[in-house]
Amino acid sequence: MNGEPGHRCGHVAIVGRPSVGKSTLVNALVGERISITSRKAQTTRHRIVGILSEPGVQYVFVDTPGFQTRHGSPLNARLNRAVREALADVDVVVWVVDASRVNDADRRVLALVPEGRPVIVALNKVDLVADKGALLPRIAELAALRDFAAIVPLSAQRGTQLGALKAEIAKALPEGPPVYGPDELTDRDERFLAAEYVREQIFRRLGDEVPYATTVGIESFEQEGDARRIGAVVWVSKPGQRGILLGQGGETMKAIATEARKSMLRLFGGRVHLEVWVRVKKGWADDDATLARLGY
Ligand SMILES: Nc1nc2c(ncn2[C@@H]2O[C@H](COP(=O)(O)OP(=O)(O)OP(=O)(O)O)[C@@H](O)[C@H]2O)c(=O)[nH]1
Ligand SMILES: [Mg+2]
């Protein structure tokens, strides 16, 4: 494919405030669940690349954490830094907003994008807007903010208008040969994805405190033929959180492990044996050295 005339390839940053559907959009575009999603803000904690190779164009999507303007914890500072870094060297920016409400937090994310960089607005979750006529004034309001390359109303969850979004992105990408192989989906390895699938279940199943006090590490990852034997550790910051994660008779943890394993099976194929332990590490989210060691 190298040197194919007219081939386009480039990096596309997906940015926006928490919970607007950035990771859902990346997954829908790539066609696999490579970035975890949940209703809770700040589900994504890392920059994750999702790759889509089509005839004549390779899109390298860069999913980012939701940009936080309210809480200044050391973890949040690192998440925001990941957003700024992702914006530093991309060809195109997709600014995701929720079609039902665009607010100050959204506009602050847009302000991070250097002038002159092509920006496409993904007006997401239009499936939740009953009165489609309400979209027109919203689009007009958005158009006044900057000279956007395009504004595309879509639904990441339903997969509507993704073709229109891709066409607009492709137009803005530079010419060049593909940088990834045609079957590559992400820059992250299976170890990383395994830990993320466990964290996804914690975000989806537990209340408003425990997910934010939690991180997941992979202690062992052995592969023999098509079978994988994975040992994961969930780190919490207080002993009480351990009990919440385990649940009555270990039920909660069992459900977390069962669902996480299903996600692993879907992406990895073969057989997966997963064991999950919970350990307490006081203040892991407040200590910069620990955060660095945990991969943030
Ligand atoms: N109805 C509807 N819900 C959506 C759509 N896209 C995403 N969602 C939901 O919105 C919630 C947040 O989605 P995520 O993809 O995790 O959002 P995010 O922007 O990556 O969030 P952070 O990583 O926390 O910043 C999830 O419950 C999704 O299922 C959509 O098009 N329509
Ligand atoms: Mg996300």
Side-chain angles (χ1 to χ4, degrees), residues 14-27 35-45 63-67 96 98 123-128 154-160 200 203-204 212:
I14 311 292
V15 299
R17 71 170 157 84
S19 299
V20 290
K22 298 176 294 299
S23 301
T24 306
L25 179 60
V26 170
N27 291 341
S35 192
I36 65 168
T37 66
S38 87
R39 292 211 184 116
K40 293 197 179 71
Q42 295 204 292
T43 302
T44 304
R45 287 185 185 163
D63 190 14
T64 63
F67 193 80
V96 185
D98 184 325
L123 195 58
N124 190 30
K125 308 196 189 185
V126 290
D127 56 292
L128 297 178
L154 55 85
S155 168
Q157 199 174 59
R158 303 236 174 127
T160 49
E200 178 172 59
F203 265 72
R204 289 186 177 187
Y212 298 100

Side-chain angles (χ1 to χ4, degrees), residues 4-19:
E4 184 192 320
H7 188 279
R8 289 171 186 272
C9 177
H11 286 76
V12 185
I14 311 292
V15 299
R17 71 170 157 84
S19 299

Side-chain angles (χ1 to χ4, degrees), residues 175-194:
E175 288 196 9
V179 292
Y180 289 97
D183 298 325
E184 281 182 85
L185 291 173
T186 177
D187 64 337
R188 296 291 186 164
D189 60 12
E190 291 186 357
R191 249 184 125 94
F192 174 86
L193 294 168

